[in-house]
């Protein structure tokens, strides 16, 4: 383990590094240096914005493909959202320089670009805003951002208060990055009429056919203020001069010089001069975002900056009834009550900012929506099914807009997408009991079939995708995107997909059984038995399940390999698919705990690959311990936790779950470098090979882990699962919880649960009446129920 940064690095050694208020709804960071990449994110229906504690920003909005109005000063590559993005001096950001016009002393907030430590620094992440509170040399500055409700627009408020005993003459300079927007044409100027700096760009394109689609794009960036600035600058190079962003030349003059940028990298810098009496404050508000024209800008300015409309808050009613809990584990309560459903909602509402989400992601993100807004899950299933292929398979990505195309990884054939369909539909039906949905006819360009028929067709496709051994062919990948060379010749198989197929069949045949489709259920059961037998015959290797068998017939993911000896997914899914007997179960959990478990959760594989393995693929070329090559890939960690609950290893499951949330202690926070406001897609693994970087967060909010984590808390930990007959109560609370309460919305009703340990067996009282079984069958929409669950002592 590396040395913990000493308290001298901490800006305020007397304050906790990370703290919270409002029962965890507000998370505070007291230092901009110790966790430099710590950030918060905000979104509306078209914009995703991430801001780091030091003031750097990453924004993307949909028009319809993701793009940005605030970029770096050089041409940026267009890609999907990447993990571990670096920040650099010219990284896009939102800063305010403050100059004392008498002493000429200058600093900046939040921290960049001047990097002068403040006397007091606080970065606060909330659901709807990101805020900074900085105290510096007799000035208190509050700087905060929220997003407009339905425009690609950031709304910033700056308040400067003179807390010193003397009158202060100040120059206040908001400086927003605009950057390199286009190689075709760009310029910038100040418009007095709009009190705005406007950077106009022509979206870059070459093909004549693209002109109509670029013509109406919002390619202009603007920064508008509610009051007129005394001066401005729009040319980045002239603003910086020789001093650079850290000590810009422009701030040495009394006034900004007011140049227009003519095909020069623009910057939006304004100067406001204020004289403040002791205790007097000045507030200025800004709107920063994208528009297509001056009239668009004027409308946005009026809507968001004019005093009459300014007080209208963006809607905060984004999430309907979600569960609320109070348990002895505060850290979990804070995360689940505020942050986890928020991350789940982000996925469900914004589709990871793509127009062609991977089918598996789209369906799993919809899975999490079940507990927030089941109609979204239903909609996602419908959308997916409307694009089903005639052979029953699902495309690699779901197209969400008429012009969308399959991009990036969606151009690589993966064989697992169909597996996620029965999983999602089964969960939807259990949660809502809307069995009529199964009879709904869904039209594709190839024909009409009911939801039920389409799920059956997807399963049949999976069953056709088996080799002679009855194992699932992998083609160029399964859940694991970069496992692209195991089966590209058409013979390699995936152990994981074989298990996932069995799991999907098992879930589906139970539903079929319930609905009276006994014959179908039996046929499916026979298939599941065959695949399970093949898994045990070909993949069980001593004390683990191998990950697969390559085109060349080589079994991998066993102790016969020098690297990649154990893979997490084939252990977790062997449990889920119920293919492991008691002895195998014990052994494989032991293997995972011995070879994969770390302080941050279980690694996806170990040891990580250090060289290319040409019959496995791109995965082995990833840096050891990074992403799929042996990080603690949280999506996979959640599968494992879910599986542990299924085999009722609840103590281990709970301990592993808690590792996914940053903040076990201060050292843990520093190591991960992330605030406990989301689960990242991974924490670096390779704990033996690269101990210095182990545990580092990817900072990437896009992850299937969020949905699964929410399911785990609701359906496994509290054990509140929907079933045909009603709400099943099957908690697996950790033994040290003597009491806990949780509110669960279910089929239009609300249940207030209180769990109490006592010395007798399980007993459940609903509104004072003791139940005969652990399924609450009377669920009246609109009703609020009080449920007491008496739990036996022990796990
Ligand atoms: O993408 C995720 C996918 O969105 O990787 C998961 C997969 O199950 C998700 O559906 C595991 O492979 O192509 C690559 O190498 C990328 O690393 C992707 O695998 C990865 C992206 O980084 C997003 O996290």
């Amino acid at each position: 383990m590396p040395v913990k940064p000493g308290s001298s690095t901490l800006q305020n050694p007397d304050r906790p590094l990370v703290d919270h208020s409002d029962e965890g709804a507000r998370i505070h960071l007291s230092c901009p240096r110790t966790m430099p990449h710590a950030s918060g994110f905000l979104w509306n229906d078209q914009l995703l914005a991430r801001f780091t504690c030091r003031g750097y920003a990453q924004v993307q909005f949909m028009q319809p493909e993701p793009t940005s109005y605030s970029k770096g000063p050089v041409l940026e590559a267009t890609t999907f959202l990447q993990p571990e993005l670096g920040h650099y001096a010219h990284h896009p950001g939102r800063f305010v320089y403050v100059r004392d016009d008498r002493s000429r002393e200058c600093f900046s907030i939040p921290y960049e670009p001047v990097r002068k430590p403040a006397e007091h620094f606080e970065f606060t992440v909330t659901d709807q805003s990101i805020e900074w509170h900085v105290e510096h040399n007799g000035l208190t500055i509050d700087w905060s951002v929220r997003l407009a409700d339905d425009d690609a627009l950031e709304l910033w408020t700056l308040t400067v208060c003179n807390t010193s005993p003397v009158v202060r003459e100040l120059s206040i300079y908001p400086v927003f990055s605009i950057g390199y927007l286009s190689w075709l044409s760009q310029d910038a100027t100040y418009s007095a009429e709009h009190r705005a700096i406007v950077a106009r760009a022509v979206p870059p394109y070459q093909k004549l056919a693209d002109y109509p689609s670029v013509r109406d794009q919002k390619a202009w960036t603007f920064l508008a203020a509610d009051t007129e600035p005394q001066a401005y600058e729009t040319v980045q190079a002239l603003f910086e001069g020789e001093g650079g962003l850290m000590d810009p030349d422009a701030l040495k003059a009394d006034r900004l010089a007011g140049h227009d940028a003519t095909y020069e990298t623009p910057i939006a810098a304004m100067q406001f001069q204020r004289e403040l009496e002791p205790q007097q404050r000045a507030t200025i508000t800004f709107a920063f975002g994208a528009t297509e024209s001056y009239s668009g800008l004027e409308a946005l300015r009026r809507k968001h900056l004019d005093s009459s409309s300014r007080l209208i808050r963006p809607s905060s009613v984004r999430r309907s009834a979600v569960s609320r809990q109070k348990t002895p584990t505060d850290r979990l309560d804070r995360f689940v009550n505020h942050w986890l459903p928020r991350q789940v909602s982000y996925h469900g509402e914004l589709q990871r900012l793509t127009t062609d989400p991977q089918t598996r992601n789209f369906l799993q993100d919809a899975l999490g929506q079940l507990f927030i807004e089941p109609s979204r899950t239903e909609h996602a299933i419908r959308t997916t099914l409307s694009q089903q292929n005639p052979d029953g398979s699902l495309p690699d990505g779901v197209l969400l807009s008429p012009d969308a195309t399959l991009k990036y990884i969606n151009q690589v054939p993966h064989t697992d997408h169909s597996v996620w369909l029965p999983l999602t539909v089964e969960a939807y039906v259990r949660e809502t009991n809307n069995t009529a949905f199964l009879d709904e006819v869904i039209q594709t360009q190839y024909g009409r079939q009911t939801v039920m028929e389409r799920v059956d067709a997807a399963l049949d496709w999976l069953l056709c995708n088996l080799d002679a051994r009855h194992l699932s062919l992998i083609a160029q990948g399964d859940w694991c995107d970069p496992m692209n060379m195991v089966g590209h010749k058409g013979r390699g198989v995936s152990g994981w997909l074989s298990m996932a197929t069995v799991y999907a069949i098992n879930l589906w045949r139970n539903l079929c059984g319930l609905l009276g489709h006994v014959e179908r259920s039996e046929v499916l059961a026979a298939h599941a038995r065959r695949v399970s037998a093949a898994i045990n015959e070909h993949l069980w290797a001593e004390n683990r399940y191998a990950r697969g068998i390559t085109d060349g017939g080589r079994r991998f993911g066993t102790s016969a390999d020098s690297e990649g000896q154990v893979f997490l997914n084939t252990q977790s899914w062997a449990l889920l698919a119920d293919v492991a007997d008691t002895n195998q179960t014990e052994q494989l959990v032991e293997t995972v705990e011995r070879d994969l478990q770390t302080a941050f959760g279980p690694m996806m594989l170990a040891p990580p690959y250090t060289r290319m393995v040409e019959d496995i693929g791109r995965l082995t070329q990833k840096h050891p311990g990074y992403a799929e090559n042996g990080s603690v890939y949280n999506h996979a960690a959640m599968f494992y936790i879910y599986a542990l609950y299924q085999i009722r290893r609840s103590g281990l499951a709970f301990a592993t779950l808690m590792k996914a949330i940053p903040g076990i202690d201060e050292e843990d926070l520093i190591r991960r470098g992330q605030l406990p406001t989301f689960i990242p897609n991974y924490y670096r693994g390779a704990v033996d090979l690269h101990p210095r970087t182990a545990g580092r967060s990817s900072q990437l909010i896009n992850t299937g882990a969020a949905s699964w984590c929410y399911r785990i808390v609701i359906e496994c930990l509290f054990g509140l699962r929907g079933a045909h007959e009603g709400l099943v109560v099957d908690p697996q609370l950790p033994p040290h919880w003597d009491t806990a309460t949780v509110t669960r919305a279910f089929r239009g009703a609300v249940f207030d649960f209180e769990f109490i340990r006592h010395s007798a067996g399980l007993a459940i009282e609903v509104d004072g009446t003791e139940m005969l079984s652990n399924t609450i069958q009377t669920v009246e929409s609109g009703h609020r129920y009080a449920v007491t669950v008496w739990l036996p002592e022990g796990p």
Side-chain angles (χ1 to χ4, degrees), residues 374-386:
S375 61
R376 277 186 185 275
T377 316
E378 188 184 308
H379 182 70
I381 295 169
R382 222 178 257 130
T383 310
T384 309
L385 288 180
S386 69

Side-chain angles (χ1 to χ4, degrees), residues 51-227:
F51 302 96
T52 75
C53 60
R54 295 163 75 104
Y56 290 129
Q58 190 198 350
V59 291
Q60 284 196 311
F61 74 107
M62 306 294 280
Q63 64 163 345
E65 292 299 332
T67 178
S68 186
Y69 49 79
S70 176
K71 298 185 173 191
V74 290
L75 187 61
E76 287 177 2
T78 306
T79 162
F80 49 94
L81 281 182
Q82 294 290 335
E84 295 196 54
L85 280 180
H87 302 105
Y88 49 96
H90 280 94
H91 193 283
R94 320 285 182 254
F95 314 110
V96 183
Y97 294 79
V98 181
R99 186 183 70 186
D100 186 306
D101 282 347
R102 288 191 190 158
S103 69
R104 294 273 158 166
E105 195 238 4
C106 188
F107 63 95
S108 68
I109 59 149
Y111 180 71
E112 300 287 351
V114 178
R115 300 188 180 177
K116 241 184 219 171
E119 287 134 32
H120 183 105
F121 172 94
E122 192 166 84
F123 171 64
T124 300
V125 181
T126 84
D127 177 24
Q128 298 280 328
S129 66
I130 310 253
E131 305 166 8
W132 290 264
H133 176 85
V134 178
E135 292 171 13
H136 207 293
N137 195 17
L139 296 174
T140 296
I141 301 175
D142 288 287
W143 181 226
S144 67
V145 60
R146 57 194 175 84
L147 301 185
D149 201 11
D150 48 9
D151 292 303
L153 203 65
E154 303 160 29
L155 299 170
W156 289 84
T157 304
L158 175 72
T159 300
V160 180
C161 179
N162 175 9
T163 47
S164 73
V166 295
V167 176
R168 303 287 292 267
E169 283 170 36
L170 303 172
S171 277
I172 300 162
Y173 306 89
V175 174
F176 285 57
S177 312
I178 297 176
Y180 189 107
L181 298 176
S182 169
W183 46 258
L184 210 50
S185 176
Q186 66 175 42
D187 59 32
T189 188
Y190 175 73
S191 157
E193 186 194 344
H194 303 98
R195 291 195 297 270
I197 284 173
V198 187
R200 301 179 309 179
V202 177
Y205 75 102
Q206 287 174 316
K207 295 185 200 128
L208 175 62
D210 289 342
Y211 176 64
S213 74
V214 299
R215 187 182 42 206
D216 304 326
Q217 276 187 18
K218 294 180 179 158
W220 297 13
T221 303
F222 71 92
L223 173 68
D226 65 342
T227 47

Side-chain angles (χ1 to χ4, degrees), residues 478-480 496 499 547 566-575 596 603-604 635-637 639-640:
D478 57 14
W479 172 91
C480 185
W496 169 78
M499 292 166 176
R547 182 59 172 86
V566 198
F567 280 73
L568 182 60
N569 276 348
T570 34
Q571 315 319 316
S572 316
W573 286 73
L575 302 177
L596 300 177
M603 297 180 289
M604 221 184 96
H635 193 185
F639 295 150
Y640 179 57

Side-chain angles (χ1 to χ4, degrees), residues 358 360-361 409 479-482 618 622 628 633 681 700:
Q358 287 176 268
R360 98 171 65 82
N361 293 356
I409 193 71
W479 172 91
C480 185
D481 279 340
R618 190 163 64 85
K622 294 203 173 192
E628 287 92 339
Y633 210 89
N681 83 319
L700 186 60

